[in-house]
Amino acid sequence: MGTQLYLGVIVVMLFATTVANAEIKVQCEKDSISITLTIPSRLRQYAARYFLGNCMPSRFNVLPSGEGKAEFNYKLADCNFKRLMKGKHLIYKNELTFRPRPRSSPAAYVYPIECVYPRPKGVAEGRGGLKFHMLLLNEKMTEVAETNVIPLGSFMPIWATVEQKSHQPLLLLMEECVAATTPELQANSNVYPIIRNKGCLLDSVKGNSRFLPRYHSSAIILYLQSFKFGLGEEVYIHCKLLAWDPEVLSESKKACHYVKENERWELLDDPMQSSMCDCCSRTCNPRSKRGDQWESNGFRPKDWYATIYDPVFKTYSLGDLQFNIGLMNEDFSGPAESTRFPLGSIIPIMASVVQNTHQPLLLLLEECVAATTPELYPESTMYPIISNKGCLLESVSSRSKFEPRQKSSEIRLSLQTFTFAMGEEVFIHCKLLAWDPNGLDSTKKACHFVEGHGWELLDNLAQSNLCDCCESTCKSRRQRSVASVLIAYLNFFRCLLDSVKGNSRFLPRYHSSAIILYLQSFKFGLGEEVYIHCKLLAWDPEVLSESKKACHYVKENERWELLDDPMQSSMCDCCSRTCNPRSKRGDQWESNGFRPKDWYATIYDPVFKTYSLGDLQFNIGLMNEDFSGPAESTRFPLGSIIPIMASVVQKTHQPLLLLLEECVAATTPELYPESTMYPIISNKGCLLESVSSRSKFEPRQKSSEIRLSLQTFTFAMGEEVFIHCKLLAWDPNGLDSTKKACHFVEGHGWELLDNLAQSNLCDCCESTCKSRRQRSVASGMDPFR
């Protein structure tokens, strides 16, 4: 790649004198462009080698002077124009090029074309696919390095770039880089920080490492001086890359290195704004804003609190309950005198709840994580300690454990220290739960692993079977129906659906900080207790939108009305379809793991849907009962079977086995980070629905096809449901725990569809099916040697 760039510069210089004086006239119309190009007579024979993007001249004439006249008359939607938003302007960009040599050779001449228009109201910014690369360059930085053996003290040019495709210009940043002795990052990996603190090059302080000046905003070169680490072992560099708006740098979006001559941190992209780097000497935290990403991340500031950063107890009140948590001395008789603990020693942590007038409650630690920040953010580096609704994960591989209770309102945790974020402060964040002592279940518990015995329930050994799910996923039995109640009936921070069917409505506000839902009772869960679950949101009263509103249906007017300003009721129009926030740059696709390029909605009409990738063509759709043809309808009675078939047309490819890697049900025809989803196939090919229903994979007729009989279930009542699946074509002889099709057969357990004798590949369906490199890929880290 480096060689091609270098040769490209030389070729441009050779042809520049012959083309630079060509007369070019550009006329930008409303939605089209007209370009007139005068070509010297000596180059007239090459007229067909002029291009606007990927378009040839639409007309060519020979002038009386012997010169040529080429015209390009095209729509702005043609010729690979790039459509960008910048401030108040809408910009269309392209290039007029002269390519006398084959297309694989660089252009001999490039003339930039740009049409600028006022930005239309209501136009959202475009988002194209992003692809990141990272390589080690040679000393001259002209091509990829021929060796990865680097003498101690010498420099390694590490090059990273992002392919922007149709995206507006982006700035590439290295948010974090570490050296490790393993090709995948593990919790116990021996690591050495290189870049931390949201873009601070730590190694520029100790050594001579630095960022080199950019040649393009979409690329960055880290000039890293080699250092002593993991002597005698291979060393891997892992980096977390971030593409960002070049004009919106901040303390958490930056590239900073220390300049010894100036004895200060300097911002690579604008030294005049180097004050953004001042936090490199402490901790660079993004400021918490209203409407930040707590909800989408699942960590809510109202019930998560940093505890382990001083020995004084932290207190949090909720109604008539007061929660406390903090560090203790060795025998739990009083607060700790220090927050520093040698590696491998025990940290005594105690939490309690003051019940006041409440009935006796049992205190539980539902979740605990270690982080490098005193508050949790979506981008915080975290390590799970207690997860899966009360499972002490650290008890499996260390001496961590719950101590016997002294009171039901207290819980004591002996946590063995571990290697995490070396050289940085570590904070422990815990989510506390006070619960009925007689109401323990798989989602309300305190479990730890006891060597030789397995998982044990702290409060009742005889009920330790409640801890069995600690090796898989601990779910409430009513989880699916509760989720559907929340979405279908009370998704009221968007639209009050029950105002259409019944007479429910919002009452006029007496204060902006309160809301009253006047809900008409309805038939649901006959003979059972019914619980109302609501998701509340506090928002700026002056910034309402389609996704931040309170709407109810007014039957007299036969329309949706906005509670807080009927004049803006157009915001409620989407209540009859789906109210989605517009996708913005920097949204949560990557962190959510669902990428639009390889996820496709399939079950929304009976016609097959097709998707091509290279020389493979994937198809998936609804079938009739015997899979002999497309379904005649997309409506299925509750409890009936939905026949789904996927196939791959292999063309010239060797025989492949088609697999359904993941499938989810959603209430939207496209997947968004905020989409309400229910997993059907997960964990690299495990049909979860086969455990609790008649869902199953049907025997194969061809290796290039896969058939799924899916039993319908209760999900998002009253809304359309769409099935989204991720397809994978693979070597039929290369099945493993991450490339498989498994379903649960009552009385037999998990079985492999394609070879019963290898059903042990399905054992991980009850826990987590990982490839060896999964962690680094999933975290967005690009390891290389």
Side-chain angles (χ1 to χ4, degrees), residues 535-546:
K535 184 177 181 184
L536 304 179
L537 176 69
W539 195 250
D540 185 346
E542 297 180 6
V543 189
L544 296 178
S545 68
E546 279 192 358

Side-chain angles (χ1 to χ4, degrees), residues 308-463:
I308 310 307
Y309 50 94
D310 64 40
V312 181
F313 263 56
K314 296 298 161 189
T315 302
Y316 175 78
S317 295
L318 180 66
D320 62 342
L321 299 180
Q322 181 177 303
F323 294 90
N324 307 281
I325 188 167
L327 288 179
M328 304 296 289
N329 56 19
E330 289 185 9
D331 60 357
F332 290 90
S333 60
E337 296 177 356
S338 171
T339 59
R340 295 188 176 275
F341 297 85
L343 188 62
S345 63
I346 296 297
I347 307 174
I349 301 171
M350 187 169 78
S352 64
V353 57
V354 179
Q355 303 183 191
N356 299 326
T357 59
H358 208 291
Q359 63 182 26
L361 292 171
L362 187 72
L363 186 65
L364 301 170
L365 289 172
E366 190 173 55
E367 292 185 65
C368 288
V369 297
T372 55
T373 54
E375 293 184 44
L376 285 182
Y377 300 97
E379 59 269 38
S380 295
T381 302
M382 290 178 282
Y383 177 81
I385 298 167
I386 296 175
S387 188
N388 214 353
K389 307 296 182 182
C391 301
L392 178 53
L393 306 183
E394 275 297 298
S395 62
V396 177
S397 56
S398 73
R399 293 187 290 123
S400 300
K401 62 179 179 178
F402 289 117
E403 298 292 343
R405 288 193 192 265
Q406 307 299 310
K407 302 176 184 177
S408 67
S409 59
E410 288 181 357
I411 191 167
R412 299 181 178 190
L413 168 64
S414 289
L415 178 66
Q416 188 176 19
T417 58
F418 47 86
T419 306
F420 173 70
M422 296 176 68
E424 295 186 59
E425 289 184 315
V426 176
F427 303 85
I428 307 295
H429 304 253
C430 290
K431 184 176 181 181
L432 306 180
L433 176 68
W435 197 249
D436 180 355
N438 301 314
L440 295 180
D441 62 21
S442 60
T443 64
K444 306 291 188 301
K445 62 189 186 299
C447 298
H448 54 188
F449 189 86
V450 179
E451 191 170 355
H453 295 270
W455 286 95
E456 289 186 356
L457 187 69
L458 169 65
D459 298 292
N460 188 346
L461 282 178
Q463 286 188 281

